[in-house]
Amino acid sequence: MEFKSVVIATAMLFSGSVMAEAAVSGHDVLPRPTKVEVKQGELKVDKPFKIVRKVGGKGAPSSYKMIVGKRGVDIVAPDSVGLFYAEQTLQQLQELAGADGELAFQVIEDTPRFPHRGVMFDVSRHFRSIDFLKKQLDAMAALKLNVMHLHLTDGAGWRMEVDGYPRLTEYAAWRPQRRWADWVAGGAKYCDRNQQGAYGGYYTKQELRDLVKYAAERHITVIPEIEMPGHSDEVVAAYPEISCTGKGGDVCPGKEATFKFLESVLDQTMEIFPSGLIHIGGDEAAKGEWHNCPDCIKRMKDEGLKDVDELQSYLIKRIERYVNAHGRNIIGWDEILDGGVAPNATVMSWRGTQAGVRSLNEGHDVIMTPVGCCYIDYAQDAPFREPESIGGYTPLRKVYDYEPLEPGIDPEKASHLKGIQANLWVERVTEDSHAEYMYYPRVYAIAEIGWSTPEKNYDDFHRRALVYNGIMKSKGYNVFNLADEYGERPEYKTPLEHQARGAKVIYATPYSKKYSANGDTSLTDGALGGWSHGDGRWQGWTTDVDLTVDLGKIMPVHYAGASFMHSEGAWIQLPEHVTISVSTDGVTFKEVARIANDVDPTYPKIMVKNYGAPVSGEARFVRFQAKQNPRPGAWLFIDELVVN
Ligand code: ACM
Ligand code: ZN
């Protein structure tokens, strides 16, 4: 009922003719069908109607055609997957119509754009129950998503039962602290599962087989990820003999025991998961211990490997041969390109899209999941209103606007672009309800990019997402309240006029190359930063900051100030204090204000704090000196130096 009234209200906006537009059509469906033709007439859903399903015709795999007419609904699809997706569309049309609504007479022809439409679940940082995962599979199926990527192993906990290696699940799956940040602060230790208060868990083989079956019934493939050689702190803690020194989070590629372990784990993984692709991680290995480990050094010498990147590549290629020999292929994060890519590997491009484009042009299959658009651990709304997050700002629109088929991709190789995926890392997402909140509605955008043709119309998508949020809520999902979205930082939206705009900035302390924003003109360009420190408007330092604005001539000055960002998850801290001083000659400065920080460095959300003060008198030079927060690795971020 609720949905029906939303649909009518929306229809009124467009046409003013409630009755004619009230009937629901494929134009209201998410993800948007390829082709919808609305005809004269409506089918009332409160009376029984006939549904005829036929496998046949010569449509593309997984496609379907649905005709809604006087006689009821006719569905034809070339395969059972297409029939299943038609069923999802029909189900959604009925949900949108409500119990006593109407379906427009219509013809829908619908074909998926990409074969991989995925969502990643990080069950290492926080263990989630099989019931939780099944609930998400239900949501995915309704959105025509077809890959559940299960991040089963990582430093925060091992999650799969493995015969022969009991300490993975008796020890490496448990930790004393529940919150990830508390666990890290406590030294990132593991504990016995029987210890009082042990937090964690693992899946038995039977539970995983059951999950795979549940997914398959919904035409969803579960791709398991076994991380190697990095992100393996829990493995090394349980079995130090497969590390270089017993310390560090990487396994040792110099030792045969490592390969025995990995092959045994992969054997058992492939027994449980029938997926064609087996994810072997490959990201962010520190490789630090490898330089000094006698086994690693010997391996490099024996195999003629010139550096530790090639040593990682040796491991990945050797594992690829093993997986290939068992009739499967590997998929890995884009670091598997470093030191030479494994020949049959699928690349999951996450550090931007360049690695993906390069791999595509070399003929590799690629899944696009760039951090700036597809990482939904970033905040989706104004951070002060959001739960704690890792940092960044990726609202629904940013996900939606992403187009994976970039101009740099050779058209001849475009068929290797297999699809896209949303990744939710859950370091800071403790609760199941928080995870759902992060997934939905952003996963709708992933579904639409993966399924629908590439034309963009955010207003239309937003209209459908709002209504679909209602359907999700009625089914018990904790979705982000899109109707109440606050949006980007207001200061970001309008250029700021001020007296220092266009003035030269003298950098006594150079900004980081990585966070250079617009270079030397950035801090006086009137363009203020948004909620994301990576939006190209924030400049970053890993040192104290000493900047002087040269106004060009002596003039009256009433105010000076600068905004700094705090984003604990991104290691960005507010300065301890900021000193503002003025000068007429650039040599002798008079201190006019010293502003101290009053924000707790562990405050878990992103915020922007203005360090500003009234000034009286005349000046040509205004100097800002910011004292770095003493926390190790702390960055300072500034978007503009404002003088009036
Ligand atoms: C990753 O985000 N480290 C794949
Ligand atoms: Zn080693």
Side-chain angles (χ1 to χ4, degrees), residues 566 573-578 595-601 609 611 629:
H566 167 92
Q573 288 284 334
L574 294 170
E576 285 282 276
H577 54 77
V578 175
I595 306 147
N597 180 27
D598 55 4
V599 175
D600 177 354
K609 179 179 160 68
Y611 289 72
N629 185 286

Side-chain angles (χ1 to χ4, degrees), residues 154 227-233 249-251 282-286 290 312:
D154 208 307
E227 269 272 19
M228 62 188 81
H231 286 262
S232 296
D233 312 71
D250 301 335
V251 296
D283 59 315
E284 298 183 315
W290 297 358
Q312 155 137 346

Side-chain angles (χ1 to χ4, degrees), residues 126-178:
H126 286 282
F127 180 71
R128 309 276 180 217
S129 70
I130 292 285
D131 281 349
F132 172 85
L133 294 175
K134 285 182 175 175
K135 184 181 174 193
Q136 309 321 313
L137 285 167
D138 289 344
M140 288 172 62
L143 289 162
K144 305 185 177 84
L145 292 156
N146 67 348
V147 176
M148 171 181 266
H149 169 177
L150 264 192
H151 187 72
L152 282 166
T153 76
D154 208 307
W158 182 279
R159 304 299 177 209
M160 183 178 78
E161 180 184 29
V162 180
D163 296 338
Y165 293 96
R167 276 179 64 74
L168 293 173
T169 45
E170 294 298 311
Y171 176 69
W174 307 92
R175 64 194 199 215
Q177 297 87 357
R178 177 177 166 82

Side-chain angles (χ1 to χ4, degrees), residues 242-245 250-255 258 289-297 311:
I242 63 169
S243 71
C244 297
T245 62
D250 301 335
V251 296
C252 172
K255 296 187 174 64
T258 300
E289 314 278 322
W290 297 358
H291 293 278
N292 303 315
C293 164
D295 295 320
C296 285
I297 291 167
L311 183 56

Side-chain angles (χ1 to χ4, degrees), residues 272-326:
I272 297 166
F273 296 93
S275 59
L277 293 175
I278 301 293
H279 205 303
I280 49 88
D283 59 315
E284 298 183 315
K287 306 166 192 163
E289 314 278 322
W290 297 358
H291 293 278
N292 303 315
C293 164
D295 295 320
C296 285
I297 291 167
K298 180 167 188 311
R299 179 79 78 194
M300 289 198 274
K301 185 158 168 286
D302 291 351
E303 299 291 333
L305 309 170
K306 73 173 191 306
D307 56 22
V308 291
D309 283 346
E310 288 194 0
L311 183 56
Q312 155 137 346
S313 178
Y314 164 84
L315 178 139
I316 300 289
K317 286 177 181 161
R318 185 166 159 182
I319 292 296
E320 174 173 42
R321 283 197 300 278
Y322 190 79
V323 171
N324 288 168
H326 291 73

